[in-house]
Amino acid sequence: MELYEGGCELKLLETLAGHSDRVWSLAWNPATVAAGTPLVFASCSGDKTVRIWENTPSHSASWTCKAVLEDTHTRTVRSCAWSPSGKLLATASFDATTAIWENVGGDYECVSTLEGHENEVKSVSWNASGTLLATCGRDKSVWIWEVQPGNEFECVSVLQGHTQDVKMVQWHPSTDVLFSCSYDNTIKVWAGDDDDWQCVQTLGEPNSGHSSTVWALSFNAGGDKMVTCSDDLTLKIWETDNIQMHSGDGYAPWRHLCTLTGYHDRSIFSVHWSSEDIIASGAADDAIRFFVENRDGLVDGPTYKLLLKKEKAHDMDINSIQWSPGEKRLLASASDDGTIKIWELASL
Amino acid sequence: MVSELINANPIVYEKKERRARSAPSDYSDEYAAEPIDQQEVFDHVRDIKDPEHPYSLEELKVITEDAIEVDDVQSYVRVTFTPTVEHCSMATIIGLCLRVKLLRSLPSRYKVDIRVAPGSHASEASVNKQLNDKERVAAALENPNLVDMVDECLAPSYG
């Protein structure tokens, strides 16, 4: 069903309390949808724990906390990511480690701890096939780990290049190309194989890049577009040539497509591109915004417009916003106020 | 450890007199929250001790009432502070102290920006960026040594 400006609303389905400190990040388990089992997501917090939440099957608007992963990280857990199979959960912490958890009959066990970063680990991401893991942190480096049998992880590359704190890493949805964004205002693209990885492109101010810290990035389903969000109060859309990307070279350059400016008053911490091409942003002004491509007007090339703005979505900064996998337009947001909210974007 | 103080001879100013807050004359509004204003925010931070000297930020004119911008309707505060010397490496500590005190004193709806006075510091942009990066501040506040230092500076300000 088409959504148009003024024709939709963001309905709050539930507010989930439980964490005793700010919630930094959340991640939906990608496997539950295909399996026909209830939706599950993980959240991580300044309270040093990770919580697993499950949708109760009988009542679609009801969520319960199925597990609390504690006594492992000794500092804030900043980010979490499920493996594509949904069987493993990686959690990145300010304690400089990344923990790998396995769901063993409802209980989550920490099966591996990845060490190496010199200080706070800020983000973790699995590649599309689940064979590689990437982490990044304040030590300015990006690490690539190979997943081996028996839940063993081998570091195959430590990538230097960013000149400051790296805030997030994200693998491309269909190729083994890694993207990182940083306090140094740039986005870097890394390609390679085995233990030979290089920075193949840097998207900075000369390429119409951001003028302050880049907090997050998200790809569209096809992987030919990406959106980045920044402390400079803008969202930027980038595109690449998909055919070239999937050809033998495995990598194609990215170029700036457009900048969404004037919509946000404070830092934008999170952005997520849905499977239906609705871009959701979560910001430090407590608001959630939705953007879609602007199909009217006579402009060269695509532009984007604001579909909906939900002010005071939370009482404090929104740190993470993620669309759920699956059919419904469900999304979850995490905030400094310690809560997670489940929303549905519905037509009026 | 630096054996010499960054600024061994700071200029110490007289403290501004403390104006008593007058009680609201309208008793029907007894339970209404009073809007937070410049004076109140200044009162929260004026007695913070400088990290290096036994003087308050007010006494060293690191912070003045005029350098605080408040918009209670928008729930916004901006504090501009002036380090005593241009290359003050204590600037980030002072900024952190300001941030923590306001975090503990203002309602959680408040958005706070902290910056050094334009032209007052050699690494102005870099200090401002660090002080306003929420994630960096959060990580710093998980460092027990830093927290102890901050708490020591904040102790006189809770009176």
Side-chain angles (χ1 to χ4, degrees), chain A residues 28-40 54-57 63 85-86 103 325-326:
Chain A
W28 292 92
N29 186 322
T32 52
V33 179
T37 50
L39 286 177
V40 168
E54 193 177 289
N55 193 198
T56 51
W63 296 78
S85 66
N103 186 350

Side-chain angles (χ1 to χ4, degrees), chain A residues 22 75-76 78 122 167 183 185 213 266 284 286 317 319 336, chain B residues 76 108 111-113 126 129-130 133-136 138-139 142:
Chain A
R22 67 183 5 139
R75 285 182 61 179
T76 285
R78 178 62 181 89
K122 305 220 167 159
K167 299 297 195 184
Y183 185 101
N185 309 349
T213 299
R266 293 190 70 80
D286 315 345
D317 290 10
N319 298 318
D336 275 356
Chain B
Y76 177 72
S108 59
K111 305 295 179 189
V112 180
D113 285 340
S126 155
K129 192 171 183 178
Q130 252 194 300
D133 181 317
K134 179 176 82 175
E135 190 186 61
R136 292 288 280 263
E142 288 187 348

Side-chain angles (χ1 to χ4, degrees), chain B:
Chain B
M1 273 295 286
V2 186
S3 52
E4 279 185 25
L5 294 176
I6 305 291
N7 182 8
N9 298 301
I11 304 171
V12 182
Y13 299 83
E14 261 181 50
K15 287 193 250 208
K16 194 174 176 172
E17 64 175 46
R18 312 227 162 183
R19 294 188 298 252
R21 305 300 305 245
S22 52
S25 50
D26 183 351
Y27 283 96
S28 64
D29 255 343
E30 211 172 285
Y31 296 106
E34 265 184 44
I36 291 167
D37 62 7
Q38 202 183 42
Q39 191 193 348
E40 181 172 346
V41 177
F42 184 59
D43 285 341
H44 284 308
V45 300
R46 67 200 298 180
D47 293 324
I48 295 174
K49 190 186 91 66
D50 178 270
E52 281 194 306
H53 309 286
Y55 296 107
S56 71
L57 297 184
E58 176 185 14
E59 285 171 315
L60 297 174
K61 264 209 160 69
V62 170
I63 179 83
T64 64
E65 194 170 328
D66 299 322
I68 296 172
E69 297 156 70
V70 183
D71 184 336
D72 191 62
V73 171
Q74 296 294 316
S75 304
Y76 177 72
V77 168
R78 182 165 73 170
V79 177
T80 303
F81 70 99
T82 308
T84 53
V85 281
E86 229 184 72
H87 292 273
C88 180
S89 60
M90 289 290 145
T92 43
I93 308 277
I94 295 170
L96 200 58
C97 288
L98 288 166
R99 200 170 263 298
V100 174
K101 186 68 208 295
L102 292 177
L103 190 70
R104 292 176 184 169
S105 315
L106 296 175
S108 59
R109 63 185 164 92
Y110 262 85
K111 305 295 179 189
V112 180
D113 285 340
I114 313 266
R115 63 169 188 166
V116 290
S120 71
H121 196 277
S123 309
E124 183 179 322
S126 155
V127 171
N128 286 342
K129 192 171 183 178
Q130 252 194 300
L131 290 176
N132 293 295
D133 181 317
K134 179 176 82 175
E135 190 186 61
R136 292 288 280 263
V137 170
L141 294 176
E142 288 187 348
N143 175 336
N145 295 328
L146 210 44
V147 174
D148 284 346
M149 209 190 294
V150 167
D151 280 338
E152 215 186 285
C153 294
L154 296 191
S157 76
Y158 289 108

